[in-house]
Amino acid sequence: MLTLLALVLAQARQAPCLTSNGNAACARTPWGNCAATMGRIFCGDPSWETLHVLREPPQVECVTTNGQGACGYDCRTANGQAACARTPWGRCVTTNGHVFCGDPSPEAVLAGATTPAECATANGRAACGYDCKTANGQAACAQTPWGRCVTTNGRVFCGDPPTWVLRHGAPPPVQCAVTNGRAACGYDCKTAVGKVACASSPWGRCVTSVGRITCSD
């Protein structure tokens, strides 16, 4: 039976390597990858949170263009740019000659965010994440699968559970409330006299009194 050190060394020996124009470089894990362009070598590996939740993550891919390169997932190139998502659940999109990528945050992945992200584009702009919305040439997305976005008065508002909530595991989805062109996303949202507010955690509460909203967590 291999010791932990022997296993690590064995995996390190399996990591992909590449040589180009007298240079050499290697990925750090067996699931990494390398690519060369114009004498330069680009290597990449699954992010640390990916390795934490997946014992056998998907193989990283690499792309190159005009001497530039990137390694990761769902890679794209456009107008001399190369970019990739950091995790298998991330996504990339190209629009108006630019590449946009987005991933669930590391805290979200550790909390169980294994739902693939999506991307939205509007007037040459883009965003990648969850529950994406566009309005008036803007594109925005929540950063976790439990986040939400809403549009009002030509603007996009998004909200997610805060990092400290994610440390407790997968939270309930947030909600969004809208009034008089204003919006807020969170929990136990309330509106009063043109105002809107939400608690930041599932355990928080909001109350209205004399036209005011008070939230606590």
Side-chain angles (χ1 to χ4, degrees):
M1 182 175 181
L2 288 174
T3 65
L4 178 59
L5 177 59
L7 180 60
V8 170
L9 292 175
Q11 290 180 336
R13 285 195 296 270
Q14 298 170 7
C17 295
L18 197 63
T19 60
S20 177
N21 198 32
N23 298 315
C26 297
R28 294 178 297 172
T29 71
W31 309 283
N33 213 338
C34 296
T37 178
M38 296 184 180
R40 302 176 64 189
I41 303 175
F42 298 86
C43 294
D45 293 272
S47 64
W48 67 268
E49 67 269 28
T50 300
L51 293 172
H52 186 83
V53 300
L54 296 179
R55 298 184 63 181
E56 290 288 337
Q59 196 78 32
V60 162
E61 63 178 294
C62 296
V63 292
T64 62
T65 179
N66 290 356
Q68 300 298 316
C71 298
Y73 298 97
D74 199 39
C75 300
R76 297 282 189 273
T77 61
N79 198 27
Q81 303 174 36
C84 304
R86 295 178 59 251
T87 72
W89 310 286
R91 289 293 178 267
C92 297
V93 66
T94 60
T95 181
N96 200 31
H98 296 280
V99 185
F100 298 83
C101 297
D103 293 89
S105 67
E107 294 81 8
V109 172
L110 296 180
T114 57
T115 302
E118 61 186 67
C119 297
T121 61
N123 289 2
R125 299 180 179 180
C128 297
Y130 300 90
D131 197 38
C132 300
K133 298 286 192 299
T134 61
N136 198 27
Q138 301 176 17
C141 305
Q143 298 306 297
T144 72
W146 310 287
R148 291 293 180 269
C149 296
V150 65
T151 61
T152 181
N153 201 28
R155 299 174 62 189
V156 185
F157 296 84
C158 297
D160 290 274
T163 298
W164 67 270
V165 170
L166 297 178
R167 295 191 183 117
H168 294 271
V174 305
Q175 59 181 260
C176 297
V178 176
T179 183
N180 289 2
R182 298 180 179 181
C185 298
Y187 298 93
D188 197 38
C189 300
K190 297 287 193 297
T191 61
V193 194
K195 301 175 182 177
V196 59
C198 305
S200 60
S201 77
W203 312 287
R205 290 295 179 266
C206 295
V207 296
T208 59
S209 177
V210 196
R212 298 180 61 185
I213 306 173
T214 303
C215 298
S216 59
D217 289 282

